[in-house]
Amino acid sequence: MEPKIVTGNGGYTLDDVPHLSDYLSNLPTYPNPLQNNPSYSVTKQYFVDDDDTVVQKAVQHKDGPRGLHFRRQGPRQKVYYSPDEVTACIVTCGGLCPGLNTVIRELVCGLDYMYGVKNILGIQGGYQGFYARNTITLTPKSVDSIHKRGGTILGSSRGGYVLSKIVDSIQDRRINQVYIIGGDGTQKGASVIYQEVRKRGLKVSVIGIPKTIDNDIPIIDKSFGFDTAVEEAQRAINAAHTEAESVENGIGLVKLMGRDSGFIAMYATLASRDVDCCLIPESPFYLEGPGGLYEFIARKLRDNGHMVIVVAEGAGEKLEERDASGNKAFKDVGLWLSHTIKEHFAQTNLNITLKYIDPTYMIRAVPANASDNVYCTVLAQSAIHGAMAGYTGYTVGPVNGRQCYIPFYRIIEKPNKVVITDRMWARLLSSTNQPSFMNPPKDTVVGGKPTESIMPSNSFEKPSENENHVDDQHPGVNGSI
Ligand code: F6P
């Protein structure tokens, strides 16, 4: 997808999203029906100015360039669809995440209540559902209480799909607004669907709503369901803590999701205060020797009598690969760590009791909490305003606390990671007082290989300009939408 870049004074750059009028001429426009809608009649300003944009970096230097901006979301004066012309569809793809049903509900209610759109179809079972399953009709009544349930009423799937069949189905069913809820793989799919739609010259808006419980989608402040996941993780951490403090030398070990990024583990740890050590994929750790995990565990048990460890599922991947000491290699880092800690202390005179809790799927199967429900509503309504205004090929999401339309390619570029040289990780280290694992002793052997070899060469590189810093680009995690 060709970037649509608009430049202005003082280094101002707008990374704009496509519009139907970019490839279709003489499109009719209509006054926005919201101006007759009692819900909006109370607002001071019905419509967003077309020139309103949102800056990516909230912190600016007085002499620095104005930097990258994204188009601000919101209702526009003119719409490019008359309500009775619209057939919208909604599809959910990938793993579960709290809030999926809320987004579906608010898309259906928003389309109907704000714009009078009545034809709304649910695509079942993810992308393949476009051609392998029948659609279901969605109405405000049929989705009324679905936000109280976990999962997705539409079903979901991972894996491949046939692009041409999806776009054929869109054409055959006369769908002209496609709302796609899913993670980076799904947004990549949305991007190619948009390109194919454009190639065929169809008046169809393709809109992405970003979803990942791991909160690792770039550019946006946070993804929906993340708050709920962090909150739900507290229950597992509390249980681990209760178990650990009830026995002598008790260790509670909790595994949380995060195959490639440790945001859930980091925020769940910061929220809890009962966690003594948090292990994430971005911060390689080592077991033996000064500054290692075993030494820290022994100290904690000596000082406190118990401890809690939180491990993200992707942490220590490299340690596992190098488990050449004859131990059974566990695919599950939680099981592996549990086994390896027990084995180590069995050889010392410290009698430990370790309880391992794996709440991963329980955490993502719950309904969204209050703050995620509000967030999902804002996302859904923002998505609808953009589609009605004729925008397409975009993902909706908060940047610096303001909802924006972001071109697909930005979202799928590179997943976000915890930057361990940023202040948020330092805050965690200061809160748990755990080792930073930054200085492994040179001759320490981990699973038969020198420790240095587990340190990715770029682990301490300064992040690039575009990289999301937890510090300055995740304000929404704790701030407003
Ligand atoms: O979407 C990312 C994620 O939450 C990972 O952290 C986790 O490993 C994965 O989903 C598990 O999902 P599934 O078992 O459905 O593949």
Side-chain angles (χ1 to χ4, degrees), residues 94-96 158 211-214 257-260 313 361 364:
L96 296 185
R158 289 195 192 276
K211 176 233 63 170
T212 162
I213 199 166
D214 292 349
M257 272 190 175
R259 207 166 10 207
D260 302 304
E313 63 177 316
Y361 289 101
R364 73 176 198 184

Side-chain angles (χ1 to χ4, degrees), residues 182-405:
D184 59 344
T186 306
Q187 303 296 319
K188 270 180 205 146
S191 175
V192 291
I193 292 170
Y194 156 71
Q195 285 167 49
E196 180 62 20
V197 157
R198 183 172 176 151
K199 202 165 97 193
R200 296 191 192 184
L202 306 176
K203 185 187 174 189
V204 174
S205 294
V206 181
I207 306 103
I209 297 168
K211 176 233 63 170
T212 162
I213 199 166
D214 292 349
N215 198 33
D216 58 357
I217 293 184
I219 308 292
I220 63 171
D221 295 341
K222 69 169 173 179
S223 49
F224 72 82
F226 177 68
D227 263 4
T228 307
V230 170
E231 200 170 294
E232 195 62 19
Q234 302 307 305
R235 295 187 339 126
I237 294 172
N238 288 342
H241 184 241
T242 305
E243 288 286 345
E245 68 175 353
S246 305
V247 291
E248 204 180 326
N249 295 325
I251 301 176
L253 173 63
V254 179
K255 185 183 77 169
L256 297 176
M257 272 190 175
R259 207 166 10 207
D260 302 304
S261 63
F263 289 105
I264 298 181
M266 177 167 77
Y267 277 85
T269 296
L270 275 163
S272 157
R273 319 285 153 154
D274 281 337
V275 180
D276 301 287
C277 188
C278 173
L279 304 170
I280 59 169
E282 296 88 338
S283 173
F285 65 96
Y286 56 97
L287 302 170
E288 318 237 12
L293 185 63
Y294 293 150
E295 183 197 67
F296 180 64
I297 294 174
R299 194 170 73 235
K300 268 282 152 191
L301 294 180
R302 194 186 60 226
D303 295 348
N304 268 3
H306 67 275
M307 77 174 300
V308 175
I309 302 171
V310 161
V311 61
E313 63 177 316
E317 199 182 305
K318 304 222 179 319
L319 285 172
E320 279 183 87
E321 280 167 19
R322 284 164 175 72
D323 190 8
S325 60
N327 293 337
K328 188 174 169 209
F330 291 101
K331 277 219 142 71
D332 180 317
V333 66
L335 285 176
W336 172 78
L337 205 54
S338 155
H339 172 85
T340 217
I341 292 171
K342 281 181 191 163
E343 250 204 354
H344 171 80
F345 285 100
Q347 288 157 20
T348 69
N349 54 7
L350 199 62
N351 230 341
I352 63 153
T353 302
L354 186 148
K355 300 287 187 234
Y356 171 49
I357 301 179
D358 177 353
T360 42
Y361 289 101
M362 291 177 69
I363 284 172
R364 73 176 198 184
V366 298
N369 68 8
S371 89
D372 270 325
N373 269 333
V374 175
Y375 178 27
C376 291
T377 306
V378 178
L379 273 177
Q381 294 194 357
S382 306
I384 296 167
H385 292 313
M388 291 303 292
Y391 291 110
T392 180
Y394 66 87
T395 300
V396 68
V399 176
N400 281 320
R402 307 307 293 256
Q403 291 285 332
C404 297
Y405 301 137

Side-chain angles (χ1 to χ4, degrees), residues 13-26:
T13 310
L14 166 65
D15 200 349
D16 206 358
V17 293
H19 193 273
L20 294 172
S21 57
D22 294 346
Y23 65 95
L24 296 171
S25 45
N26 303 322

Side-chain angles (χ1 to χ4, degrees), residues 134-195:
N134 286 327
T135 57
I136 55 171
T137 303
L138 300 172
T139 63
K141 191 164 176 218
S142 73
V143 298
D144 185 46
S145 57
I146 61 170
H147 61 295
K148 294 178 186 162
R149 280 190 258 158
T152 155
I153 58 153
L154 297 177
S156 186
S157 63
R158 289 195 192 276
Y161 54 83
V162 185
L163 173 65
S164 59
K165 284 193 184 181
I166 291 178
V167 184
D168 289 349
S169 162
I170 289 171
Q171 257 185 297
D172 293 347
R173 297 180 201 274
R174 297 179 185 282
I175 292 167
N176 46 19
Q177 290 185 7
V178 184
Y179 294 92
I180 299 171
I181 311 167
D184 59 344
T186 306
Q187 303 296 319
K188 270 180 205 146
S191 175
V192 291
I193 292 170
Y194 156 71
Q195 285 167 49

